[in-house]
Structure formats: structure tokens, C-alpha cells
């Protein structure tokens, strides 16, 4: 059973790495809150295709790139659990098998 933790992932044009990032944490947490900062690539479409119907993945779409901190705050307000950890797909150097619950993607 997943920990009652929300993981917040901020996205801006992360591409396919975003799907891998979500896959690295999805089975360890009860919710992934994905905050998209007005990406222009196909990263959100890839997530929607990969996680269609998965209620654990929630997508918030910002109309502008508000920056990492603002997006984290938006995700924190939307998170369903008091325990949450922000994540960032970064340069694709997240671990394929996180060592501990909610370790997720590096900040």
C-alpha cells in the first residue's frame, strides 16, 4: 500500500522524462500532483496517454510559466495529504528505482 504522501512534480517541457519521473514514484505515494508551467512540448500529452484513468495522477495546468517555487505552492495547496514532497524531472537524472518512499525525482 502506498504511503499517504502527495508528490508534487513541476513540469516545463520535460518531454518523455516526465513519464519516467512519475513512474519512479507512483507506486510509493498515494497521489502525484503534476503542475505544468505552460509547457509547449508534448510532455502533458505523454502523461495523459500513459496514466489515462489513473486517479493517483492529477494535472494542474498553469497558463503561464510561473516558476518552480510558485508551481510548488500551487501543488502544495492542491495536495490531498499533509505529507508532501516536491519533485522536479530536471535533466533526467532521477533514479529508476528510488531507494525510499517519496524520494522521487531530484529537486
Amino acid at each position: 500500500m502506498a504511503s499517504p504522501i502527495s508528490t508534487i512534480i513541476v513540469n516545463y517541457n520535460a518531454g518523455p522524462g516526465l513519464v519516467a519521473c512519475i513512474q519512479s514514484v507512483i507506486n510509493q505515494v498515494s497521489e502525484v500532483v503534476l503542475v505544468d508551467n505552460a509547457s509547449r512540448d508534448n510532455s502533458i500529452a505523454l502523461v495523459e496517454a500513459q496514466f489515462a484513468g489513473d486517479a493517483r495522477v492529477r494535472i494542474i495546468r498553469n497558463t503561464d510559466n510561473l516558476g518552480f517555487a510558485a508551481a510548488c505552492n500551487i501543488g502544495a495547496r492542491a495536495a490531498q495529504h499533509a505529507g508532501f514532497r516536491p519533485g522536479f524531472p530536471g535533466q533526467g537524472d532521477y533514479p529508476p528505482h528510488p531507494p525510499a518512499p517519496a524520494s522521487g525525482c531530484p529537486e
Side-chain angles (χ1 to χ4, degrees), residues 72-101:
C72 281
N73 287 334
I74 290 167
R77 284 191 295 272
Q80 295 181 4
H81 303 287
F84 64 87
R85 174 181 170 84
F88 183 64
Q91 301 300 313
D93 55 349
Y94 40 86
H97 304 287

Side-chain angles (χ1 to χ4, degrees), residues 6 12 28 36 43 55 60 64 69 71 79 82 85 93-94:
S6 298
Y12 181 70
Q28 298 177 55
D36 183 65
S43 52
I60 298 171
D64 295 306
R85 174 181 170 84
D93 55 349
Y94 40 86

Side-chain angles (χ1 to χ4, degrees), residues 32-54:
V32 172
V33 179
L34 172 59
V35 183
D36 183 65
N37 267 336
S39 293
R40 289 184 243 156
D41 69 352
N42 66 340
S43 52
I44 295 301
L46 293 171
V47 169
E48 289 173 331
Q50 181 69 35
F51 299 100
D54 192 332

